[in-house]
Amino acid sequence: MKRRSLFLISAMVFGFAFLYVPIISLIVYSFNKSKLVTVWAGFSTQWYGALLQNDQILQAAWISLRIATLNATVAMALGTIAGFVLARFKRFRGRTLFTGLVTAPLVMPEVITGLSLLLLFVALESIIGWPSGRGFATITIAHITFSLAYVAVIVQSRLADMDESIEEAALDLGARPLKIFFMITLPIIAPALVAGWLLAFTLSLDDLVIASFVSGPGSSTLPMVIFSKVRLGVSPEINALATILVALVAVGTIIAGVAMLRSQKVRERDVQMAAADN
Amino acid sequence: MASSTTFSTFEPWKDPAEKPYVCIDRVTKKFGDFVAVNDISLDIYRKELFCLLGASGCGKSTLLRMLAGFEEASSGRILIDGMDMAEIPPYERPVNMMFQSYALFPHMNVSQNVSFGLKQEKLTGQVIKTRVEEMLELVKLTQFAKRKPHQLSGGQRQRVALARSLIKRPKLLLLDEPLAALDKKLREHTQFELMNIQEQLGVTFIVVTHDQQEAMTLATRIGVMEEGYIAQVGTPTEIYEFPGSRFVADFIGSVNSFEGRITVDEPDHVIIRMLDQDVDIFVDHGVSASPNARVWAAIRPEKIHISRTDPGQARNVIRGKVKEIAYMGDFSIYLVELAGGRTVRVTQPNLRRGDPERITWDEQVFLHWLPSSIVVLTE
Ligand SMILES: Nc1ncnc2c1ncn2[C@@H]1O[C@H](COP(=O)(O)OP(=O)(O)OP(=O)(O)O)[C@@H](O)[C@H]1O
Ligand SMILES: [Mg+2]
């Protein structure tokens, strides 16, 4: 008994250490005075200052954020439509094919997706002259094609949970299908849309492989810049950048968590209130 | 004569001049190979409260959904007020439906839920407001107007669903198991409310239920369904007292049925010889059965008398031994074992408290009944 719990505790310690020691050391070394990553020479925030001077990184961050935002928004819209079709149109010709096409990017190796998109863009350029060269637009389109699949799956599963007779009731009360979609269905699945948007946003912000295939000169995304810099050696500047990213993600997660907890509490209180009146 | 109808003599289906409001004409619905609704024809009249009754999976909801326009009939026609509904989408039918699951809009509060139907019509805000207030008054939900559905109890939600389906003043209201989720008291209360609403607003109701008690209380007529087709249509009394088949007799209330053979077949009476008992059953009305056909003499438990002494009649009497007694409060159920080993169910009202004369376990008793109490059923 004693030995087993000892085993469990050490397994847990190792597990967490494996996950978090690299991140913590990264954060700690971002405040290192020394330019050598492995030698501690006292506390300093100079690398954060240097980051603000580094045009290459700032530009890449700005591109990444714009791509991520645009991608998340478009993917949410298109993915919602795809998810709706998957969930609500039970039988139509080619449904299986459509399902396969929508969800394939989930399992497709990124290298393949990236390569095939690159070939597509090149072919398009030679045939219709668009897109001329590769850059912001091609990266965004590439990101949309694969994040759309994630949104579609999230929306589809949310719709599958939703009682279909709610939509039938609206139909019965005289509302037309398009109006029902916007007035009934969308508000009900809104949390899934938010989740889909956030997921698409992070997927885009994270992506290195696909972006590398379809980007062009002057349109390097943040992961691409980080990756190319790290290949020349880890610099404290990159540590500082990574720390900022970790902080952003942590803050976002905490805000989402608190919001969810609060809405759950409100809900519980409402339910108790309803029970008390009877 | 039909113009001076009061509630007790409301029988438009007997009046040949009356036009049915809903006409279901040989409607069949198939899901793939499976026939969910099988060649049903049904006429329902204005201001009726028609109950569809049947076991689970017999096609009640499917029939209702075809009336509302959510399913398309595989063949046959549905006419509402003389108009063929085939090409008419749900949002243009003069029909509203209350869903078994209530299907309230979770993101809207009670008054938004109720007003949703009116907002689809071209009405001014003031009209909508007054009508919503009236409707909330009717279902006694005024103080809950600002609550969301998840803040309501089951019974309150059910009333919201009812109000929402009533507010458009539909000519035809379809209720799919409207009271299934309520406790017994609230259910009875709501049944009476439903009947009130119907009298106030003059709506035609079609109510699906599998609770036969509810159907008996509510309905002007009942349609009993069995595996996709209509087994019998009639008033609650007709269905109960004159079931047309063994299925209906069994489904509505409980019944004792004795298999036998007709030995005497006269226009004004028949005599049936019981198969497994040395007993003749005398029936005081004629029967349309081919001679020597297998028939069942069905009799309701409350129409059998039970006594210690021989009633002194040659027919319509069986001897047996009391096997089991169940005290139900207002009445008791006796299970009486006959010679062959089969049991007969008899109910007797408990007229006196602590009756010392009461028949008890293992007593030898005589069971007897009136010649008019028997219903003769063929296969
Ligand atoms: N969309 C569908 N596809 C295939 N079969 C269906 C579909 N809808 C209903 N059925 C079948 O049709 C039959 C009748 O269903 P229906 O919902 O009308 O039953 P019901 O009488 O309302 O039963 P319950 O009392 O349980 O609600 C069932 O056997 C059901 O499995
Ligand atoms: Mg049903």
Side-chain angles (χ1 to χ4, degrees):
Chain A
M1 187 63 212
K2 183 108 180 131
R3 193 184 295 173
R4 195 169 134 223
S5 70
L6 201 69
F7 171 76
L8 280 179
I9 288 172
S10 47
M12 194 180 76
V13 167
F14 273 115
F16 277 119
F18 198 71
L19 278 173
Y20 288 106
V21 165
I23 295 179
I24 291 169
S25 74
L26 183 143
I27 293 173
V28 169
Y29 275 103
S30 76
F31 293 104
N32 191 359
K33 202 177 238 161
S34 164
K35 194 166 174 54
L36 294 168
V37 192
T38 42
V39 185
W40 181 258
F43 182 85
S44 148
T45 54
Q46 68 185 75
W47 302 115
Y48 289 87
L51 209 54
L52 289 177
Q53 307 300 317
N54 188 330
D55 280 342
Q56 191 196 6
I57 284 178
L58 284 184
Q59 198 196 348
W62 177 231
I63 289 179
S64 270
L65 282 178
R66 270 158 58 214
I67 290 179
T69 311
L70 188 60
N71 160 64
T73 309
V74 177
M76 182 183 73
L78 296 180
T80 302
I81 296 170
F84 187 79
V85 171
L86 286 179
R88 284 290 179 264
F89 293 76
K90 291 278 144 50
R91 272 170 303 199
F92 60 88
R93 195 184 291 265
R95 185 179 193 283
T96 319
L97 185 68
F98 183 71
T99 312
L101 289 178
V102 167
T103 50
L106 295 180
V107 290
M108 193 78 82
E110 283 183 319
V111 178
I112 308 279
T113 312
L115 183 61
S116 56
L117 281 165
L118 175 62
L119 295 177
L120 173 79
F121 290 137
V122 170
L124 273 180
E125 188 177 7
S126 67
I127 296 169
I128 60 169
W130 185 92
S132 55
R134 283 166 297 285
F136 185 87
T138 50
I139 300 174
T140 312
I141 292 173
H143 281 184
I144 289 170
T145 54
F146 81 95
S147 21
L148 183 156
Y150 288 86
V151 178
V153 168
I154 292 176
V155 168
Q156 182 194 6
S157 72
R158 179 68 191 90
L159 279 171
D161 285 346
M162 178 183 159
D163 183 3
E164 224 172 302
S165 57
I166 292 177
E167 286 162 350
E168 286 175 344
L171 210 58
D172 186 64
L173 290 166
R176 274 147 205 278
L178 195 65
K179 189 170 186 186
I180 293 171
F181 180 75
F182 285 106
M183 285 191 63
I184 306 292
T185 315
L186 270 192
I188 292 176
I189 62 168
L193 298 196
V194 173
W197 193 93
L198 285 172
L199 186 63
F201 186 84
T202 41
L203 281 172
S204 166
L205 214 54
D206 269 359
D207 171 65
L208 172 66
V209 178
I210 295 176
S212 307
F213 274 99
V214 297
S215 76
S219 66
S220 295
T221 62
L222 198 54
M224 286 167 71
V225 168
I226 294 177
F227 188 68
S228 65
K229 278 190 172 301
V230 167
R231 278 203 304 192
L232 304 175
V234 181
S235 74
E237 221 174 339
I238 293 297
N239 281 350
L241 179 62
T243 304
I244 292 175
L245 286 178
V246 169
L248 277 178
V249 169
V251 167
T253 316
I254 289 168
I255 289 174
V258 167
M260 246 156 66
L261 208 69
R262 183 171 299 166
S263 73
Q264 193 176 339
K265 273 198 184 130
V266 168
R267 213 180 167 81
E268 272 165 17
R269 204 191 55 215
D270 289 344
V271 169
Q272 277 167 6
M273 216 161 76
D277 306 322
N278 282 291
Chain B
M1 59 174 192
S3 56
S4 65
T5 46
T6 64
F7 195 75
S8 57
T9 62
F10 176 73
E11 293 179 328
W13 51 90
K14 287 192 176 163
D15 182 354
E18 191 82 30
K19 282 225 162 55
Y21 184 64
V22 179
C23 174
I24 298 168
D25 183 19
R26 305 205 56 181
V27 165
T28 296
K29 175 70 193 177
K30 289 185 188 151
F31 294 108
D33 286 338
F34 179 77
V35 185
V37 168
N38 193 352
D39 196 16
I40 285 187
S41 292
L42 205 54
D43 285 342
I44 294 163
Y45 294 84
R46 250 194 196 82
K47 298 192 187 175
E48 259 204 272
L49 203 162
F50 192 94
C51 270
L52 277 172
L53 193 59
S56 187
C58 69
K60 309 177 297 283
S61 297
T62 307
L63 187 59
L64 224 58
R65 291 171 56 79
M66 283 192 284
L67 286 167
F70 303 130
E71 306 278 3
E72 211 176 317
S74 310
S75 69
R77 293 185 313 158
I78 292 175
L79 304 163
I80 297 178
D81 207 6
M83 195 153 79
D84 195 329
M85 288 288 124
E87 297 298 314
I88 308 210
Y91 48 86
E92 280 169 7
R93 298 193 180 197
V95 176
N96 282 138
M97 177 151 164
M98 178 183 162
F99 291 76
Q100 190 166 0
S101 59
Y102 306 153
L104 300 178
F105 307 130
H107 57 300
M108 298 184 185
N109 67 27
V110 169
S111 78
Q112 287 167 332
N113 261 283
V114 173
S115 63
F116 185 86
L118 287 185
K119 290 202 179 124
Q120 311 310 315
E121 295 172 10
K122 303 271 170 289
L123 292 173
T124 65
Q126 192 52 47
V127 175
I128 293 179
K129 194 159 167 283
T130 24
R131 273 176 65 179
V132 168
E133 276 165 12
E134 273 170 28
M135 191 46 74
L136 290 180
E137 196 77 37
L138 183 75
V139 295
K140 304 190 182 66
L141 280 174
T142 310
Q143 81 253 44
F144 301 109
K146 290 283 167 288
R147 293 252 186 115
K148 293 270 182 70
H150 69 265
Q151 300 167 302
L152 298 173
S153 73
Q156 291 162 347
R157 279 180 217 173
Q158 185 258 318
R159 270 146 48 208
V160 178
L162 187 62
R164 192 180 64 175
S165 56
L166 276 171
I167 192 135
K168 294 193 82 173
R169 300 183 185 156
K171 306 263 176 46
L172 176 62
L173 192 59
L174 309 171
L175 310 178
D176 195 351
E177 311 227 5
L179 315 176
L182 305 186
D183 65 54
K184 190 164 182 285
K185 254 213 155 127
L186 194 54
R187 176 149 69 218
E188 280 172 7
H189 175 74
T190 318
Q191 281 172 4
F192 285 111
E193 258 177 30
L194 268 184
M195 282 153 78
N196 277 338
I197 287 168
Q198 163 167 54
E199 275 175 59
Q200 277 177 36
L201 303 181
V203 188
T204 307
F205 280 75
I206 302 180
V207 182
V208 162
T209 173
H210 53 225
D211 177 349
Q212 42 155 307
Q213 207 58 50
E214 189 169 296
M216 300 295 255
T217 323
L218 288 175
T220 53
R221 282 189 305 159
I222 296 175
V224 183
M225 284 184 72
E226 182 192 4
E227 288 175 5
Y229 66 91
I230 294 267
Q232 190 177 358
V233 177
T235 63
T237 322
E238 283 166 5
I239 298 271
Y240 188 79
E241 302 291 353
F242 306 101
S245 68
R246 293 178 64 209
F247 172 79
V248 175
D250 249 350
F251 192 76
I252 309 286
S254 48
V255 74
N256 298 296
S257 52
F258 302 102
E259 193 178 347
R261 212 166 279 283
I262 295 179
T263 52
V264 177
D265 188 2
E266 298 292 332
D268 64 337
H269 73 273
V270 291
I271 293 174
I272 296 170
R273 180 75 184 168
M274 259 192 220
L275 269 196
D276 58 347
Q277 301 289 322
D278 181 22
V279 171
D280 279 331
I281 299 175
F282 179 87
V283 184
D284 71 350
H285 50 265
V287 171
S288 57
S290 49
N292 274 330
R294 281 171 78 188
V295 293
W296 282 264
I299 181 158
R300 298 280 181 199
E302 74 279 4
K303 296 196 170 62
I304 302 180
H305 298 280
I306 183 166
S307 64
R308 285 197 186 89
T309 51
D310 194 336
Q313 61 192 55
R315 289 162 180 156
N316 293 352
V317 61
I318 313 184
R319 293 174 62 109
K321 193 173 86 173
V322 176
K323 195 69 189 303
E324 198 68 67
I325 304 174
Y327 178 73
M328 308 297 285
D330 46 353
F331 65 93
S332 292
I333 301 172
Y334 295 82
L335 292 182
V336 178
E337 192 177 74
L338 305 185
R342 68 167 290 180
T343 55
V344 174
R345 190 184 170 97
V346 182
T347 57
Q348 296 287 290
N350 292 321
L351 301 177
R352 291 177 57 189
R353 175 148 37 151
D355 189 350
E357 300 285 288
R358 203 165 58 205
I359 291 166
T360 63
W361 277 267
D362 292 333
E363 276 197 68
Q364 289 291 332
V365 291
F366 294 89
L367 303 179
H368 51 102
W369 55 86
L370 296 173
S372 60
S373 301
I374 294 282
V375 177
V376 181
L377 302 168
T378 52
E379 203 78 51

